[in-house]
């Protein structure tokens, strides 16, 4: 079955299983990943183009991901994270703790592909006890920059994870929408910088790219190594420096005092 093709729904069901193949330089399939999708449910149960692009990037960066400690944020159907697991990474797949049906689908997909991944409910900007045990060397997220109101919580979570694991990187694919300037501002606010920016279709095999649409970009984001004062001055007129933002968020967080 060709990459991205789906088994036909059975008995009028909206649930399908799509298969995504990953090939060597000669065009021979090395492995495939099967994804359970539900076209009538919310966006978390569908494989979006950004997920396919990020999964292909993970595959092409196979030596980088082999043996890495990987956390996928907003995993949804989890295609990129599952590819990382196929490559030998230690993978934790996360999605909003309130989206029980998505988390259950992630577990089913792991079982379907015979992969042993940790599945974790993680809500951006909510400092539950589970986030403190994560020490990723690579954080990934496909199409997590889709809702402007969630950007601040996302970047605060990314910044926390990067701080927890020095030298780590956040790799994300996203549609280049009107929120680009907000993304730039929030990266400065949370002490982050874009280290690499690629056209999402530049590295895609032609037969995969032809099935996708949109203006998709891939970014690698890391902590900004500039002195703290430089970062503070960049956004002191907004919500203060990185530390004050962090304390403000901790006060708002819905966790017990004992977690601190």
């Amino acid at each position: 079955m060709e990459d991205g093709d789906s088994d036909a729904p059975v008995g009028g069901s909206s649930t399908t299983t799509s298969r995504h193949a990953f090939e060597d330089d000669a065009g021979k399939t090395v492995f495939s990943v099967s994804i359970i999708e539900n076209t009538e449910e919310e966006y978390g149960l569908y494989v979006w183009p950004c997920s396919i692009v990020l999964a292909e990037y993970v595959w092409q960066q196979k030596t980088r991901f082999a043996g890495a400690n990987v956390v996928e944020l907003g995993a949804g159907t989890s295609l990129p994270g599952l590819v990382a697991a196929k490559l030998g990474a230690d993978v934790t797949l996360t999605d909003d703790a309130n989206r029980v049906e998505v988390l259950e689908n992630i577990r089913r997909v792991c079982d379907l592909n015979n992969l042993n991944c940790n599945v974790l409910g993680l809500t951006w900007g909510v400092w539950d006890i589970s986030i403190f045990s994560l020490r990723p060397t690579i954080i990934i997220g496909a199409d997590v920059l889709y809702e402007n109101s969630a950007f601040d919580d996302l970047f605060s979570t990314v910044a926390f994870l990067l701080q927890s694991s020095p030298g780590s990187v956040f790799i994300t694919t996203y549609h280049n929408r009107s929120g680009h300037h907000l993304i730039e501002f929030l990266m400065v606010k949370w002490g982050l910088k874009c280290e690499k920016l690629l056209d999402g279709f530049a590295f895609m095999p032609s037969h995969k790219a032809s099935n996708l649409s949109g203006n998709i970009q891939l970014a690698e984001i890391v902590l900004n190594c500039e002195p703290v004062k430089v970062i503070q001055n960049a956004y002191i007129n907004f919500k203060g420096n990185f530390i004050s933002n962090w304390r403000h968020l901790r006060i708002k967080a819905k966790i017990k005092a004992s977690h601190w």
Side-chain angles (χ1 to χ4, degrees):
M1 185 171 288
E2 295 295 325
D3 180 73
D5 280 356
S6 301
D7 292 339
V10 178
S13 171
S14 58
T15 299
T16 63
T17 301
S18 59
R19 294 186 179 89
H20 304 263
F22 297 86
E23 305 162 343
D24 60 21
D25 293 337
K28 181 180 179 181
T29 297
V30 178
F31 64 78
S32 63
V33 175
S34 297
I35 300 293
I36 301 171
E37 302 183 64
N38 191 318
T39 56
E40 290 186 358
E41 293 292 337
E42 59 178 296
Y43 46 76
L45 296 176
Y46 182 78
V47 179
W48 296 97
C50 282
S51 184
I52 295 172
V53 172
L54 183 55
E56 182 64 28
Y57 187 74
V58 172
W59 164 242
Q60 293 188 17
Q61 299 272 313
K62 56 181 73 65
T63 57
R64 184 182 184 185
F65 278 84
N69 191 336
V70 176
V71 170
E72 182 170 5
L73 299 177
T77 52
S78 308
L79 179 59
L82 295 174
V83 173
K86 284 276 192 180
L87 295 173
D90 182 6
V91 177
T92 298
L93 303 169
T94 76
D95 211 301
D96 191 327
N98 299 310
R99 300 167 71 189
V100 178
E101 71 289 348
V102 175
L103 294 170
E104 284 301 318
N105 193 66
I106 293 174
R107 295 185 180 95
R108 287 194 294 269
V109 170
C110 289
D111 291 341
L112 179 63
N113 290 280
N114 297 314
L115 291 171
N116 185 22
C117 300
N118 183 32
V119 179
L120 178 67
L122 192 160
T123 303
W124 304 335
V126 176
W127 309 107
D128 202 352
I129 190 66
S130 56
I131 195 172
F132 295 96
S133 63
L134 298 176
R135 294 292 184 274
T137 52
I138 303 176
I139 308 160
I140 57 176
D143 210 7
V144 289
L145 295 166
Y146 60 86
E147 188 174 327
N148 289 8
S149 60
F151 285 5
D152 202 32
D153 287 337
L154 170 65
F155 279 112
S156 67
T157 300
V158 169
F160 178 86
L161 292 173
L162 292 176
Q163 287 275 5
S164 300
S165 188
S168 55
V169 60
F170 173 47
I171 305 175
T172 183
T173 49
Y174 61 96
H175 286 277
N176 191 9
R177 303 185 177 101
S178 58
H180 184 71
H181 293 298
L182 177 59
I183 293 171
E184 290 181 339
F185 162 68
L186 289 173
M187 282 199 296
V188 173
K189 172 184 173 181
W190 291 106
L192 307 173
K193 67 177 180 180
C194 182
E195 193 171 56
K196 180 187 291 186
L197 186 63
L198 299 174
D199 180 346
F201 292 97
F203 53 83
M204 291 290 291
S206 58
H207 69 279
K208 291 187 177 183
S210 63
N211 295 323
L212 304 176
S213 61
N215 181 7
I216 298 175
Q217 293 185 312
L218 181 142
E220 295 199 11
I221 296 171
V222 297
L223 288 175
N224 194 333
C225 296
E226 295 180 16
V228 174
K229 284 186 178 180
V230 175
I231 299 173
Q232 289 174 348
N233 290 338
Y235 56 87
I236 195 169
N237 292 326
F238 292 92
K239 290 186 180 179
N241 59 45
F242 182 89
I243 296 175
S244 65
N245 273 293
W246 203 276
R247 288 173 177 168
H248 177 68
L249 206 61
R250 288 171 69 175
I251 292 171
K252 293 173 61 180
K254 298 176 181 178
I255 63 172
K256 295 181 180 179
S258 59
H259 290 169
W260 297 102

